[in-house]
Amino acid sequence: MRRVLTAAAVAAAVVAVPLTPVASAATPYKGANTAAVQDDFNGDGYRDLVVGAPDAANGGVEAAGAVVVLYGSSATVSATHRTVITQATAGIPGDPEEYDRFGTAVAAADLDRDGYADLIVGTPHEGVGSKESRGSVTVVWGGPKGLRGGTTIAPPTGFGDGLTYCRFGMSLATGDMDGDGAPELSVGSSCEGAAYGGPFTRTGQAAGVERRRDMGEGRGVAMGDVDGDGKAERFWMPGPTDGDLRGPVRYDDADSGFGVKLPYADGHAGVIGDVNGDGYGDLITGISSDDSMSGGPSGWAHKGGEIQVLYGGPHGITADQHPEVFHQDTAGVPGTAENGDEFGQSLSVGDVNGDGYADVLVGSPGEAVGTHMSAGTAVLLRGSASGLTTAKATGYTQDTADVPGAVETGDQFGAAVHLADLDHDGKAETVVGAPTENSDGCVWVARGSASGPVAKGSFNVCGKSAGIGVYDVKGYFGAATTSAHVEL
């Protein structure tokens, strides 16, 4: 049964081609709720890497956006084994338009229960009719030949009535909330949240859909099993509000249908993983904006940004729980907290050394490296039986030995991060985006090992070599992965 917080709390993309739609499986595919199937688009047993390039050009149309899927293998990923998806790709709905920013947010799940992951793409700045930045969400269907054909997920009836610039699709999350093997989809915006029940048909119809106005703006959303019952819970993070600049965190209680605020928790974006190896997912949130960046009232994150950890258990994440807080003034965390570092701008969880504990990778794209402002860094914090720890914490920049490239002002290394086992060796690769590296942007990929990420032999994949176009503005390849980042 669905766990609740407390009784009191409850009261209170190779180019894709069209694919003829097929019916969803009659019964749930048993692997559809596993991590492997959630991002294995071609069913070869290797997880794949999704990289958003929201400012990529389509010919002379600047910032139309693109998504590149780098297919995993025993040799990990490369720029050559790929699929590039844009709104000009055959079978993909919509048209490439200036500053649509297709690929601002990306996610993956087997929405139609056919045993292949499907790609979900947020285009929050797309105009719909007369409404600017109404936003859209597109699904590209996985299959034995990879990603082919797509459809649009429509907003709920009445979504954003009377509101403008809603940016539907600015955040995305998936998870199986009812245990039927058909993941649910959550879509955030700057107006209200939207929740879709699985399974989905190939026409984009969900088993159920609802507006979540009670959750406020859905700038961030996270889904995962925090109570060990095999079903995902959902947490909405509306972003800064007038009374809470650090951002409220609200548990979406599926039983009661009400949102329950976690009074001691804060966050603008979040991810869920089992940091202490106890079988229960833990919620990690990021708040990257500090007072120096607000231009107004104080009360934002710790200087330079912070992350918070709330631990799951048999009763889930309870309303009386106080989070653990980490920032660059925390003993053992690499670096020094400085104004505008944006520590917590991006987050990912994964086991980099195969010890059974999920580790946390934190992006800090505003970090200065020497005299180079906003060169960026990524910090790896290790999971352990006692929870997230700073023991063996490591910081990575483009000045780190064996990390390719060079530190330059404004590269924003760490704007997006991702941990995933792409070569199926039981240890997650470390992926860090530097979207303003050169004119196109790059991602850094390092293999996992028993001692953690291996910088020696690590490599960059950059946007142009991966198939994106650039025109007038930087392509911003590496701005998004299927892990979380804060979108303001």
Side-chain angles (χ1 to χ4, degrees), residues 147-246:
L147 291 156
R148 299 186 175 199
T151 192
T152 298
I153 302 296
T157 301
F159 171 85
D161 281 351
L163 302 174
T164 58
Y165 304 101
C166 280
R167 298 187 290 171
F168 180 73
M170 71 185 301
S171 62
L172 302 165
T174 61
D176 184 3
M177 297 182 69
D178 54 14
D180 67 351
E184 276 63 56
L185 170 64
S186 304
V187 180
S189 78
S190 54
C191 289
E192 59 188 63
Y196 299 82
F200 289 72
T201 68
R202 289 254 170 146
T203 62
Q205 296 297 310
V209 58
E210 59 180 326
R211 298 166 66 185
R212 294 316 309 260
R213 289 170 291 176
D214 57 316
M215 297 297 173
E217 297 182 19
R219 295 198 179 193
V221 58
M223 300 178 71
D225 182 8
V226 299
D227 60 13
D229 66 352
K231 303 173 186 178
E233 282 72 49
R234 178 165 50 211
F235 300 84
W236 295 97
M237 285 145 280
T241 66
D242 288 342
D244 187 356
L245 296 176
R246 297 164 67 83

Side-chain angles (χ1 to χ4, degrees), residues 94-307:
D95 297 297
E97 298 169 313
E98 287 191 350
Y99 291 92
D100 273 354
R101 307 200 79 225
F102 179 87
T104 295
V106 289
D110 182 13
L111 296 182
D112 60 354
R113 300 188 302 182
D114 67 349
Y116 300 93
D118 307 307
L119 172 65
I120 306 148
V121 183
T123 312
H125 295 281
E126 180 155 36
V128 178
S130 62
K131 297 181 178 180
E132 293 185 45
S133 293
R134 171 71 165 182
S136 68
V137 172
T138 302
V139 176
V140 186
W141 303 107
K145 295 183 180 181
L147 291 156
R148 299 186 175 199
T151 192
T152 298
I153 302 296
T157 301
F159 171 85
D161 281 351
L163 302 174
T164 58
Y165 304 101
C166 280
R167 298 187 290 171
F168 180 73
M170 71 185 301
S171 62
L172 302 165
T174 61
D176 184 3
M177 297 182 69
D178 54 14
D180 67 351
E184 276 63 56
L185 170 64
S186 304
V187 180
S189 78
S190 54
C191 289
E192 59 188 63
Y196 299 82
F200 289 72
T201 68
R202 289 254 170 146
T203 62
Q205 296 297 310
V209 58
E210 59 180 326
R211 298 166 66 185
R212 294 316 309 260
R213 289 170 291 176
D214 57 316
M215 297 297 173
E217 297 182 19
R219 295 198 179 193
V221 58
M223 300 178 71
D225 182 8
V226 299
D227 60 13
D229 66 352
K231 303 173 186 178
E233 282 72 49
R234 178 165 50 211
F235 300 84
W236 295 97
M237 285 145 280
T241 66
D242 288 342
D244 187 356
L245 296 176
R246 297 164 67 83
V249 178
R250 296 186 174 121
Y251 167 67
D252 194 345
D253 186 353
D255 283 340
S256 70
F258 293 105
V260 181
K261 183 177 179 179
L262 304 181
Y264 304 109
D266 310 287
H268 297 167
V271 291
I272 293 174
D274 187 3
V275 171
N276 58 3
D278 64 355
Y280 304 102
D282 310 309
L283 174 64
I284 300 95
T285 64
I287 316 159
S288 58
S289 298
D290 60 25
D291 288 351
S292 73
M293 302 168 64
S294 71
S298 60
W300 296 71
H302 181 89
K303 182 179 181 180
E306 67 184 72
I307 68 168

Side-chain angles (χ1 to χ4, degrees), residues 12 19 43 135 185 228 233 236 246 249 268 286 302 309 337 344 352 357 377 382 390 420 437 451 478 484:
L19 181 68
L185 170 64
E233 282 72 49
W236 295 97
R246 297 164 67 83
V249 178
H268 297 167
H302 181 89
V309 184
V352 299
Y357 303 105
T377 187
R382 302 298 186 96
T390 61
E437 171 88 7
S451 59

Side-chain angles (χ1 to χ4, degrees), residues 17 39 55 76 134 178 217 441 482:
V17 297
D39 51 12
D55 285 357
T76 194
R134 171 71 165 182
D178 54 14
E217 297 182 19
T482 54

